[in-house]
Amino acid sequence: MGSAPQKTWTDLLNTGAFIGLCAGSAYLLYKLWTTPSPKSSDPGVCPISGRSGNAAQCPLAKMGCFQSKEEAPKATQPAPEKKETVSTTPSAPAKMSSGNTASAAPPAAAVDQVKPEGKKQYSWEKKKLDPKDFMFSKLKGQVCIKEPGSINGQQFIIEDCEDCDIYLCDQTATVQIDCCKSCRIFVGPTDSSIFIRNCEGCKCIFACQQYRARECKDCDTLLFSSTAPVIEMSSAMRFGCFRFFYFSLAKQFAAASLSLFDNKWSEIYDFTPNAAACNWSFLPLTTTSADLLKPLATLGSFVTPEEAAMHKDDEVVPYTCGLRKQDFAGQERAFLLFPQGQEAKASEVLRSESLPSPLALIQTKRMQINAAKAKQLLKHCAESAVLAAAGKGFCVGAEVAGPDALAKCKAALQAAGAGNAAYCSGTADAAAYEVNVYFEQWRDFAGAAVTK
């Protein structure tokens, strides 16, 4: 057997050096985990070896130890500068300590550089609405006016008021009126519903998509409603066509998506009819807005006396007589049809100035007509251009009654420059047929459709 090889002094030295290196590394790791790090405020202490002096002079730094490199003390680092908000509007000069003045407004170029672009606004950053700004509650003998732009399509509540003059002259979402007595109330165009409940002796002018009254008594209302008004458990309710005016009223109707020609104010539906006496009736045709409410111009509001004198209260919504057929029985009828794009002409022709008394505008309606319906409706019309225009979209139809209605309506169309664009019945028989088709056969939901 061969003997084990003899270890030389070189092998022993190498082995010893290896063991020493391992022991040194273990000691360093032990110091790293068990010794607290020195305070960063002492820049002359190495975080590993604990030596005093510049950390860059530590021998471990020369070995590339990542923690032995010099670091700037945290306490000596300057705090981040706060960004200054620059306004794009000039501000007053700010006084310096020396008494000189320096303009606080930066140059235009500087403003452009720091101006944030497209900053997103989150819901919690938006200004929260105060419910008290959209409510009149427990008032007595006061004048309360909400001017245009003060409601902006929000819900509004009126409750427990007595002998007050209340005007909501702005677009609203819904309006609830509860437990009011002897009040005079105006509500501008409402996107949805007006609910009036437990009110007595009130005089109102409303514009809405839906009108609902419950447990009310002795109330007069000039109404615009694009659906049939509904009353329930109410009595002595009197209705007439909407009449009111201020400059932004027409724009508010458009914002509320209410067509000026879809007013079913007279098509009252009573959920709780009284066999002994009808719970509702019509106001006289001569009733105006001033008969129910105090004019805005007399209350120191946004409407001036000069503005009120220049305009009539039936300029925005066409004043219709409604379904009181007996008042115009036996009188000549005329049917007018304005094709799409002629609504402005329709408003001009259907005003009281264009159709003076004794002519009466009975009812109007805006509806979409296709080519087949146009052919059915205007079968007595021989003009192909009129038929083609009528079948291309939304039209406005109107029924007019009175002596010589046909001739006077044609003259009104010519005077307004709508003679070639709009249609008027040629004969009394044609008018009777067209009124029946447009307003009766093509009638949408209209409550009980009672004709009084």
Side-chain angles (χ1 to χ4, degrees):
M1 292 181 62
S3 58
Q6 296 289 329
K7 292 185 180 292
T8 65
W9 286 104
T10 304
D11 294 334
L12 293 175
L13 290 174
N14 290 338
T15 302
F18 177 76
I19 293 173
L21 180 62
C22 291
S25 300
Y27 177 76
L28 289 176
L29 292 174
Y30 171 78
K31 292 287 291 181
L32 176 66
W33 291 103
T34 59
T35 304
S37 299
K39 296 182 179 179
S40 58
S41 61
D42 187 1
V45 179
C46 175
I48 298 298
S49 65
R51 284 192 175 187
S52 300
N54 192 343
Q57 298 177 358
C58 177
L60 294 179
K62 299 179 180 179
M63 297 173 58
C65 177
F66 66 92
Q67 284 198 349
S68 64
K69 296 181 181 179
E70 184 177 11
E71 297 180 358
K74 294 182 180 178
T76 60
Q77 292 181 356
E81 295 184 1
K82 185 177 180 180
K83 294 184 178 180
E84 183 179 359
T85 303
V86 180
S87 174
T88 58
T89 57
S91 58
K95 288 190 177 182
M96 306 291 287
S97 58
S98 60
N100 298 329
T101 58
S103 175
V111 174
D112 294 338
Q113 291 175 2
V114 299
K115 182 179 179 180
E117 296 182 2
K119 183 180 178 182
K120 184 177 180 181
Q121 186 180 24
Y122 296 95
S123 58
W124 57 84
E125 296 178 328
K126 297 180 180 179
K127 182 180 179 181
K128 293 185 178 180
L129 301 176
D130 188 351
K132 295 180 181 178
D133 293 335
F134 306 96
M135 175 186 298
F136 290 141
S137 179
K138 296 179 173 61
L139 303 177
K140 185 173 183 179
Q142 296 190 27
V143 176
C144 309
I145 301 176
K146 285 289 186 179
E147 297 187 0
S150 61
I151 303 176
N152 290 325
Q154 299 295 322
Q155 179 181 348
F156 207 95
I157 296 175
I158 303 172
E159 61 182 8
D160 299 313
C161 295
E162 183 177 352
D163 193 26
C164 291
D165 295 282
I166 298 174
Y167 297 80
L168 306 185
C169 300
D170 199 11
Q171 176 200 355
T172 56
T174 61
V175 177
Q176 298 181 19
I177 305 172
D178 294 303
C179 303
C180 292
K181 185 176 181 180
S182 302
C183 289
R184 295 155 295 281
I185 306 173
F186 170 81
V187 178
T190 303
D191 299 359
S192 184
S193 302
I194 293 178
F195 298 96
I196 178 169
R197 297 169 292 199
N198 303 100
C199 293
E200 181 179 353
C202 293
K203 298 183 184 297
C204 311
I205 300 180
F206 294 155
C208 58
Q209 188 215 26
Q210 182 187 45
Y211 170 90
R212 297 290 298 265
R214 179 183 173 87
E215 297 183 70
C216 294
K217 181 180 180 181
D218 191 25
C219 293
D220 295 344
T221 305
L222 295 181
L223 179 64
F224 177 98
S225 179
S226 56
T227 60
V230 174
I231 64 174
E232 183 178 3
M233 301 176 66
S234 301
S235 61
M237 304 290 285
R238 294 170 291 274
F239 295 92
C241 183
F242 179 95
R243 300 182 73 153
F244 209 74
F245 180 85
Y246 51 87
F247 270 120
S248 55
L249 182 59
K251 291 183 179 180
Q252 293 172 4
F253 267 93
S257 300
L258 299 176
S259 171
L260 301 174
F261 305 100
D262 288 335
N263 189 4
K264 296 180 174 61
W265 70 267
S266 65
E267 301 174 16
I268 312 296
Y269 185 81
D270 188 356
F271 269 114
T272 54
N274 185 354
C278 188
N279 292 322
W280 61 274
S281 61
F282 290 130
L283 289 168
L285 284 173
T286 56
T287 304
T288 66
S289 59
D291 295 326
L292 271 62
L293 308 183
K294 298 176 182 178
L296 282 170
T298 65
L299 300 175
S301 69
F302 62 96
V303 178
T304 63
E306 293 77 14
E307 176 186 342
M310 291 172 58
H311 299 277
K312 295 184 177 181
D313 59 3
D314 61 349
E315 287 189 20
V316 176
V317 176
Y319 185 77
T320 57
C321 298
L323 301 181
R324 32 180 143 203
K325 301 287 186 179
Q326 80 283 0
D327 294 342
F328 307 96
Q331 295 188 9
E332 185 174 287
R333 292 295 202 275
F335 175 75
L336 302 178
L337 187 70
F338 299 85
Q340 184 165 310
Q342 297 295 320
E343 291 193 10
K345 290 293 183 183
S347 295
E348 182 179 352
V349 171
L350 299 179
R351 289 178 182 172
S352 58
E353 293 88 349
S354 301
L355 301 175
S357 181
L359 290 182
L361 180 61
I362 304 299
Q363 55 186 332
T364 62
K365 183 170 69 172
R366 179 179 180 267
M367 68 176 299
Q368 188 172 14
I369 299 178
N370 55 29
K373 282 190 172 183
K375 186 176 180 180
Q376 176 188 354
L377 175 65
L378 303 178
K379 70 176 186 178
H380 296 286
C381 178
E383 299 181 23
S384 58
V386 173
L387 284 170
K392 291 184 178 179
F394 284 92
C395 299
V396 174
E399 177 188 2
V400 179
D404 299 324
L406 291 171
K408 291 179 179 179
C409 285
K410 290 178 181 179
L413 291 177
Q414 293 294 334
N420 297 327
Y423 167 79
C424 179
S425 306
T427 64
D429 291 338
Y433 168 81
E434 290 154 1
V435 166
N436 178 265
V437 171
Y438 194 85
F439 290 106
E440 300 298 332
Q441 296 184 28
W442 294 350
R443 179 181 296 276
D444 51 6
F445 175 75
V450 177
T451 59
K452 289 195 172 283

